[in-house]
Amino acid sequence: MVTETRREAVTAVVDPRTGRPVGEVALLSAADVPRVARTAAAAAPGWAGTTVDHRARKIRDLADALARRLPGLAPRFSQEHGKTPAEAMAELERAVETLRWSADAALEVSRPTSLPERGGIAREVVVDPAGPVLAIVPWNFPAVVLARKLGPALAMGCSVVVKGPEEVPCVPAAMARAAAEAGLPDGLVQVVHAAPADAEALVRRPEFRRVTFTGSTRVGRLVAAAAAEQLTPCVLELGGHAPVIVTDDADLDAAVDALAIAKFGSTGQSCGAPSRFIVQERVADDFVRRLVRRAPAPDSEPGGTMGPLNNARRRDAVHSLVEDAVRGGARLVLGGRIPDTPGFHYPATVLCDVPPQARILHEEPFGPVAPVMRYRDDAEALTLANSSAYALSAYVYGEPGRARELAGLLDAGSVGVNCSPGAAPDAPLGGRAASGYGYEGGVQGLLSFGALKVVQHLARPTSDAP
Ligand code: NAD
């Protein structure tokens, strides 16, 4: 269900290809915040009291209802976000897959496990539903991130308030409609949009037993501080700045094919996108030439295949990082100029010999920019790769054995060796350091929405027991 919000507070939804509004979204008012939290608390016990099989069936119904909506939803998602229609559809399909996986996996995770008998006491570990969950979702992968929070939370028996991204409201709205169509109880899934202060007020509500947040490190810190007031545990999936090491024995054709997709897909607006290219000096020029040949043109140009950035703020931030790198001595090999077209397009950009102090090597670029550095030996490559405050994703391209060894020495929650796949439903993804804490995906992600309880009882009833 989409929670009723007051009409006086609305924000425009803008098409990033034109820069023009294509709709608006109503924002929660401060006065609505307690009501939303209480509704979630009221819906929680009924759902927690259902069997895991029932919940799994309902989540599959939700996935089916969402799947039926995809043909109509994907074009609108592409329009609000700027992703190409193919990218929009691929993300939505992954969201459906994630919901289905959550339903199946919860059946396994929710089973009690026995501990060995101890001093005549039999023991069992039970997973209770954690209670109402607040799920805060960013605009960049709104469908997959939403599914990675909603599916597991529902499967584990929790009610959920989704604070959706104002930039792409069509995705959470479609999820809410799919939830209603699947017959989920009223109040179990509420979708709201809110200004930052009201989103933070939700985090402070004592009704929530878990907060799951995906977004920037800056906002993640605010969320963690607000949640600490009620000691509400958080999962924080924050920003990334993924290094990619390319060794001199890498298959450059294969590496560039895979990396061009990982870098320029979704116009670089992915937390796991490669964003620091650390290339062995003997192959660096060759690598850059190939990357430039493989870079896509914006879809505002004939034959272009890369969408715009999502908003003007993002485009200006990306451009300022490029300008700063060039001022510091980086060589601009491709792109680097804001095109004179409507909307928020930014060209695929390759920067060579980026100096260590350049901001782009320390701040999340979140755009279609590939900064390239050269290295001499493996030790230098690892130092460069592990030098960021972020530690989310990393990649190594090289002879498989050597690349696997380097992967073992990288500080990251996920490492791709000669491949750059996205997050899969059954694999835990978690950041370290400024990339956050906790896990989403996999059994570990499901357990984030559970609360463990040890039940102990006498293994053999006493003889004088009634
Ligand atoms: P953001 O931090 O600006 O916003 C994220 C969400 O938080 C939005 O819904 C926003 O409305 C809300 N929000 C803003 N201020 C808030 C506050 N004070 N209290 C509570 N909520 C608040 O991030 P964004 O620009 O929407 O998303 C991009 C960021 O998300 C990037 O940094 C990216 O790396 C990160 N991200 C991380 C992962 C991951 O798995 N680690 C996945 C996707 C995106």
Side-chain angles (χ1 to χ4, degrees), residues 22 29 31 37 57 66 91 142 178 182 186-187 212 231 244 281 305 310 314 336 353 359 379 391 429 435 437 457 465:
V22 288
S29 76
R57 254 194 324 277
L66 184 64
E91 186 188 336
D186 266 2
T212 169
L231 294 180
V244 46
E281 60 182 6
T305 55
N310 175 259
R314 187 89 303 279
D353 301 319
R359 277 171 47 215
L429 177 63
S435 293
Y437 48 74
H457 58 90

Side-chain angles (χ1 to χ4, degrees), residues 16 49 116 128 136 151 192 248 335 361 389 394 450:
D128 282 341
I136 304 182
V192 302
D248 55 357
L361 298 181

Side-chain angles (χ1 to χ4, degrees), residues 201-283:
L202 275 172
V203 176
R204 289 200 172 85
R205 290 300 304 182
E207 290 85 353
F208 293 110
R209 293 297 187 89
R210 295 287 186 275
V211 173
T212 169
F213 171 84
T214 302
S216 63
T217 298
R218 182 188 70 79
V219 176
R221 289 186 211 280
L222 297 175
V223 167
E229 290 178 18
Q230 303 291 344
L231 294 180
T232 311
C234 296
V235 171
L236 298 178
E237 297 283 356
L238 308 181
H241 205 325
V244 46
I245 297 176
V246 181
T247 64
D248 55 357
D249 48 18
D251 175 342
L252 286 191
D253 275 336
V256 167
D257 278 354
L259 285 169
I261 293 168
K263 173 71 257 181
F264 300 115
S266 273
T267 321
Q269 300 166 112
S270 159
C271 57
S275 53
R276 289 175 292 139
F277 290 73
I278 300 163
V279 186
Q280 214 288 330
E281 60 182 6
R282 279 188 288 278
V283 295

Side-chain angles (χ1 to χ4, degrees), residues 56-392:
R57 254 194 324 277
K58 283 296 185 193
I59 294 165
R60 282 192 211 101
D61 290 348
L62 168 65
D64 293 346
L66 184 64
R68 285 193 293 276
R69 295 180 169 274
L70 298 197
L73 178 59
R76 177 68 186 186
F77 179 17
S78 168
Q79 183 184 37
E80 290 183 358
H81 188 288
K83 282 177 195 273
T84 64
E87 286 171 340
M89 183 55 98
E91 186 188 336
L92 290 167
E93 284 170 348
R94 205 140 59 87
V96 171
E97 180 198 357
T98 302
L99 292 174
R100 292 193 174 127
W101 178 85
S102 308
D104 294 341
L107 296 172
E108 290 299 313
V109 171
S110 305
R111 276 204 202 106
T113 48
S114 294
L115 296 174
E117 190 181 311
R118 183 181 161 89
I121 306 281
R123 297 171 305 155
E124 204 176 47
V125 182
V126 172
V127 189
D128 282 341
V133 169
L134 174 62
I136 304 182
V137 176
W139 56 265
N140 71 320
F141 274 85
V144 163
V145 172
L146 172 50
R148 281 166 74 81
K149 297 179 187 307
L150 184 65
L154 288 177
M156 297 304 288
C158 304
S159 59
V160 185
V161 173
V162 176
K163 208 304 275 167
E166 289 66 41
E167 295 85 348
V168 194
C170 68
V171 170
M175 190 70 91
R177 282 194 286 272
E181 208 174 302
L184 293 180
D186 266 2
L188 182 67
V189 179
Q190 300 177 81
V191 170
V192 302
H193 295 276
D198 297 322
E200 218 172 299
L202 275 172
V203 176
R204 289 200 172 85
R205 290 300 304 182
E207 290 85 353
F208 293 110
R209 293 297 187 89
R210 295 287 186 275
V211 173
T212 169
F213 171 84
T214 302
S216 63
T217 298
R218 182 188 70 79
V219 176
R221 289 186 211 280
L222 297 175
V223 167
E229 290 178 18
Q230 303 291 344
L231 294 180
T232 311
C234 296
V235 171
L236 298 178
E237 297 283 356
L238 308 181
H241 205 325
V244 46
I245 297 176
V246 181
T247 64
D248 55 357
D249 48 18
D251 175 342
L252 286 191
D253 275 336
V256 167
D257 278 354
L259 285 169
I261 293 168
K263 173 71 257 181
F264 300 115
S266 273
T267 321
Q269 300 166 112
S270 159
C271 57
S275 53
R276 289 175 292 139
F277 290 73
I278 300 163
V279 186
Q280 214 288 330
E281 60 182 6
R282 279 188 288 278
V283 295
D285 289 332
D286 197 4
F287 175 85
V288 167
R289 265 194 302 275
R290 289 168 197 244
L291 187 62
V292 165
R293 274 205 301 270
R294 201 59 183 73
D299 65 7
S300 52
E301 294 176 12
T305 55
M306 188 174 70
L309 291 165
N310 175 259
N311 55 65
R313 236 177 331 114
R314 187 89 303 279
R315 182 196 57 196
D316 296 346
V318 168
H319 189 55
S320 131
L321 290 177
V322 171
E323 286 186 319
D324 169 77
V326 171
R327 266 197 310 274
R331 198 154 48 84
L332 184 65
V333 186
L334 181 72
R337 280 174 199 88
I338 295 180
D340 189 17
T341 48
F344 313 129
H345 282 97
Y346 197 81
T349 296
V350 179
L351 291 164
C352 238
D353 301 319
V354 179
Q357 72 281 4
R359 277 171 47 215
I360 198 162
L361 298 181
H362 307 281
E363 295 173 29
E364 196 178 17
F366 228 55
V369 184
V372 181
M373 291 168 282
R374 300 166 199 263
Y375 75 86
R376 264 181 231 111
D377 55 28
D378 288 356
E380 187 184 6
L382 287 167
T383 304
L384 288 169
N386 288 334
S387 66
S388 170
Y390 296 101
L392 182 64

